[in-house]
Amino acid sequence: MSNKVKWSELNADVLQSILERLSIINYLKARSVCKNWRVVCKQISSIQDKFPWIIIFPRRRPKNSTCQVFNPQEGKSYTLRNLGNDFSTHHCIATSGSWLLMLDLRSNLYVLNVFTRERIELPPLESHQGRLQVHRLQNNTFTFMINQSSVPARNVLNRTKAVLWVDEKTNGYIVVWSIGLSYIMYTKNGFDFWREIPTKEGPENLHGCQDIVYKDNKVYILTSLNRIRILDCSQELPRALLDNVDDDPFRDDQRRRGKIGFTVSGEVLMVKNQLNQVFNILKMNSEGTSWDEVESLEGEAWITDLGVTVPAVDGTRPNSIYYRYKSIYRGDLSIQVLEMILDVDKNGHARWFIPSLREI
């Protein structure tokens, strides 16, 4: 009698326990091993990595449907294929789990899951309803007309901020997109158009959008005056809440650009956004009215691209902040030193994301 183990006949409960502990890439490989393994995978509702990866869009090459993903914990890169014609020439604006908000060369927006290849086509920008006028040109680019001033889309893209949220179970989604400095539009599942979010709701005007994050059905906007404006997205039309934070901690500094985010425990953070130096991380006080200086993030690392901190293990260092300016930089808060940790092709770009996979 043979003592050899037939891996295809491994006990289903034991196999499921093993599969649930695998990284996303190894899980994808495992579910292709045999029919029995695939059946067990179907019993696992979702796989999610606790720590962020980096997706790398290389130098733009027509007819290229691949990109690289880098796992900082392993220090390894993987190639993802069959992502769509000319995928490498498209621009990633925001992420939600493994979903990417993409702008293609024809100025169309879509949402793509890089692991399942599921794709959600978003309404055309010219369907927008509001004060903003969107004009599509013959070469498939478009211009925005705001207050009688025309702005090319690519110029706007350089200053745009966006958030994407996708429900992993239902594929319901919300996209909020800041156009230029003072105009915000959004769409969600069930809409066949874009709508304007009024920028003069609440106790103060928007005064531009430096940064934007999404958490628990609310959008947090950091205005150009370093004030926090909160939009409730639980209704059909997002509305400004009254509990904005008016205190500007950088009021005496001309170089006062900032970024915002959340700690693991849900506290709101702000940091002055300077590429050549890391300093002045602030935390909103318990009353939500002002800011207290933070001396250390302790065992957490702040991924500004995602607007959140994560437990710092293996691939990320504690008490650090990670910036993205095409390439990836890490700032050590204790010694105020910034270093490049991932060099990206000058014609490419990179973005952090948190891998997740729902069985379909």
Side-chain angles (χ1 to χ4, degrees):
M1 182 175 178
S2 174
N3 292 324
K4 291 184 179 180
V5 175
K6 292 185 178 181
W7 291 101
S8 62
E9 299 176 3
L10 194 65
N11 178 275
D13 291 338
V14 174
L15 179 58
Q16 180 172 337
S17 179
I18 295 172
L19 293 172
E20 288 174 337
R21 289 168 169 79
L22 296 179
S23 68
I24 293 285
I25 296 295
N26 288 330
Y27 177 84
L28 289 170
K29 294 177 180 177
R31 71 176 184 176
S32 301
V33 168
C34 64
K35 181 179 179 180
N36 287 342
W37 284 36
R38 177 64 175 169
V39 170
V40 173
C41 285
K42 286 289 187 181
Q43 300 172 13
I44 302 174
S45 59
S46 63
I47 296 289
Q48 180 165 343
D49 204 306
K50 296 180 181 179
F51 307 102
W53 290 23
I54 301 170
I55 184 167
I56 304 167
F57 299 85
R59 179 178 300 188
R60 297 185 171 192
R61 296 185 180 92
K63 306 301 180 183
N64 187 349
S65 64
T66 69
C67 71
Q68 300 286 319
V69 290
F70 176 72
N71 182 349
Q73 286 184 286
E74 299 176 335
K76 291 183 179 180
S77 294
Y78 302 90
T79 299
L80 300 182
R81 305 182 187 279
N82 303 318
L83 297 172
N85 291 336
D86 297 340
F87 176 78
S88 66
T89 64
H90 300 175
H91 194 88
C92 183
I93 301 175
T95 69
S96 174
S98 296
W99 294 88
L100 312 179
L101 175 61
M102 304 294 298
L103 179 70
D104 69 16
L105 293 178
R106 297 178 179 82
S107 301
N108 295 314
L109 285 162
Y110 65 93
V111 179
L112 176 72
N113 189 304
V114 293
F115 293 122
T116 66
R117 310 304 191 269
E118 294 171 274
R119 179 165 168 150
I120 302 171
E121 301 292 346
L122 298 183
L125 290 173
E126 55 265 39
S127 68
H128 176 260
Q129 299 179 3
R131 295 176 294 116
L132 180 72
Q133 298 179 24
V134 181
H135 300 285
R136 186 175 291 271
L137 307 179
Q138 290 183 349
N139 60 357
N140 271 323
T141 61
F142 56 88
T143 61
F144 295 115
M145 183 71 73
I146 309 175
N147 297 330
Q148 305 303 314
S149 298
S150 179
V151 183
R154 293 295 164 179
N155 291 346
V156 170
L157 181 61
N158 292 333
R159 296 182 295 171
T160 192
K161 302 290 181 181
V163 290
L164 167 70
W165 175 81
V166 180
D167 187 317
E168 291 286 357
K169 294 182 178 180
T170 66
N171 284 5
Y173 65 88
I174 293 175
V175 178
V176 180
W177 191 15
S178 168
I179 305 297
L181 295 177
S182 60
Y183 197 90
I184 298 180
M185 56 197 294
Y186 86 106
T187 191
K188 63 180 182 178
N189 52 297
F191 281 22
D192 58 1
F193 54 85
W194 291 84
R195 292 189 63 171
E196 173 187 0
I197 295 180
T199 57
K200 297 183 182 297
E201 296 283 337
E204 51 104 3
N205 294 341
L206 183 62
H207 296 302
C209 175
Q210 291 190 78
D211 200 17
I212 180 171
V213 294
Y214 180 92
K215 184 177 176 61
D216 298 334
N217 227 15
K218 294 178 182 177
V219 170
Y220 292 72
I221 298 171
L222 178 63
T223 75
S224 60
L225 298 181
N226 291 314
R227 297 171 178 172
I228 301 292
R229 185 166 179 267
I230 306 172
L231 302 176
D232 181 1
C233 294
S234 62
Q235 306 299 318
E236 180 169 319
L237 178 64
R239 290 293 183 183
L241 301 178
L242 296 179
D243 49 350
N244 295 324
V245 183
D246 293 333
D247 180 45
D248 178 4
F250 305 138
R251 63 176 62 88
D252 298 325
D253 191 336
Q254 296 298 317
R255 300 173 299 172
R256 57 184 185 181
R257 294 178 300 160
K259 285 185 174 294
I260 53 173
F262 290 92
T263 65
V264 172
S265 59
E267 296 172 304
V268 183
L269 298 176
M270 186 194 302
V271 64
K272 189 179 295 185
N273 181 20
Q274 297 289 334
L275 184 57
N276 60 351
Q277 192 175 11
V278 181
F279 52 92
N280 287 79
I281 289 186
L282 306 170
K283 179 174 65 176
M284 188 185 299
N285 68 6
S286 57
E287 290 78 26
T289 56
S290 61
W291 301 90
D292 298 323
E293 189 161 354
V294 176
E295 295 184 358
S296 172
L297 293 174
E298 299 180 347
E300 298 179 16
W302 184 3
I303 314 296
T304 59
D305 211 21
L306 299 174
V308 295
T309 65
V310 296
V313 294
D314 297 333
T316 54
R317 293 188 187 178
N319 199 32
S320 296
I321 182 167
Y322 288 80
Y323 290 103
R324 172 190 56 85
Y325 292 87
K326 291 192 175 180
S327 297
I328 305 297
Y329 298 83
R330 182 185 71 85
D332 188 321
L333 299 180
S334 60
I335 59 177
Q336 298 284 293
V337 172
L338 192 72
E339 63 175 342
M340 180 188 295
I341 63 169
L342 183 64
D343 189 10
V344 177
D345 189 298
K346 65 179 181 180
N347 293 316
H349 68 287
R351 186 173 285 271
W352 291 88
F353 74 108
I354 298 180
S356 61
L357 180 66
R358 172 181 58 87
E359 278 293 342
I360 57 175

